[in-house]
Amino acid sequence: MRRLPFLNGVRAFEAAARHGSFAGAASELNVTPAAISRMVHLLEDRLGVALFERAANRLSMTAAGRSYQTGLTPLLDALASLTAQVTTQAGARALTIGVGPTFATRWLIPRLADFRRIEPDIEVRVTAGGVAGSFTEDWTCGITLGSGDWPGLVSERLFAADLQPVCAPRLAARLKQPADLSGPTLLRVAHATEDWPLWLKAAGSPRIAAKGPQFEYYGQALQAAADGVGIAMGIRPYIDDDIRAGRLVAPFPLTVPKGKEWYLVYREFRKDQRDFAAFRRWLMGAERGPPKRRRR
């Protein structure tokens, strides 16, 4: 008879080992850190082996834990791959893509019709997220901004995230040089407070401070800019379509790297799955140009 370990504990341990914390595992498995800790303790009790060394604000694996995790991760990846293959064979053809709300509305959704034209039988589900740290087992892949280094995930660079101020055409006419930004309203994004200082320093105007209205997302700030509320710090690729359409104007040619780039992230076992492979091929081509418009 096959003797299997406490499987909930195995999942909890493997996730905690991969993330380096109970909190990271809890986020992935949608439970509390306390629940992860309890499940790992139960697993250790049943195995009779300590897997973690616990100290204040620190979690490290024992030699036994490192050995166990090295074998477990590929086994669980293989199980997930097998499950995905079975569901695909059963007729389920779906992609769940984790992206941030602004990336979804400003880049992905305007291009989805082209993917649907190429792969009409694949159901696409766009879900909020995009941060690789919140990657869940239910996602096929994510598109996120970062350094490209996420343990347990494959990351492939899509495009740069360059910064450039943008505004409505009528405001752009008054802006001749970066020093002119000292007067107009400079719109801010709550989670990107470094954007304006970074660009202004590169433009030779570090004393100018952004003090305009603050928004939660880039998309809100860019909409406010298009409506003439002020000047937003644009980030590529969010601004490209609006600039091409004339809704926004970049009054200065200077672009500054944000220090992060856009990546497609996924688990290794997904790479050879038919539907994900089709999406990945399309995505790598779509990032090189504007959305295709249907002829009327």
Side-chain angles (χ1 to χ4, degrees), residues 51-74:
L51 300 173
F52 284 118
E53 294 176 353
R54 296 164 176 83
N57 300 319
R58 186 171 62 86
L59 186 69
S60 59
M61 280 187 285
T62 64
R66 286 191 294 272
S67 177
Y68 203 30
Q69 191 256 336
T70 299
L72 275 179
T73 296

Side-chain angles (χ1 to χ4, degrees), residues 101-102 188-193 213-222:
T102 301
R188 299 173 294 154
V189 176
H191 62 82
T193 56
Q214 180 172 283
F215 300 90
E216 184 176 3
Y217 300 116
Y218 279 108
Q220 296 167 336
L222 293 174

Side-chain angles (χ1 to χ4, degrees), residues 70-158:
T70 299
L72 275 179
T73 296
L75 284 175
L76 294 179
D77 283 347
L79 177 60
S81 179
L82 177 61
T83 303
Q85 291 172 21
V86 169
T87 56
T88 298
Q89 292 168 2
R93 300 195 64 189
L95 290 167
T96 301
I97 306 166
V99 293
T102 301
F103 191 93
T105 57
R106 290 262 162 181
W107 195 89
L108 182 60
I109 292 173
R111 289 162 174 77
L112 274 183
D114 183 56
F115 179 69
R116 293 282 298 156
R117 178 182 58 80
I118 298 169
E119 297 286 351
D121 296 329
I122 299 177
E123 178 186 351
V124 177
R125 302 167 185 169
V126 178
T127 186
V131 179
S134 65
F135 201 94
T136 76
E137 293 183 355
D138 295 331
W139 292 6
T140 307
C141 61
I143 300 172
T144 191
L145 187 64
S147 65
D149 182 20
W150 294 286
L153 298 173
V154 177
S155 62
E156 294 186 279
R157 182 187 179 278
L158 293 174

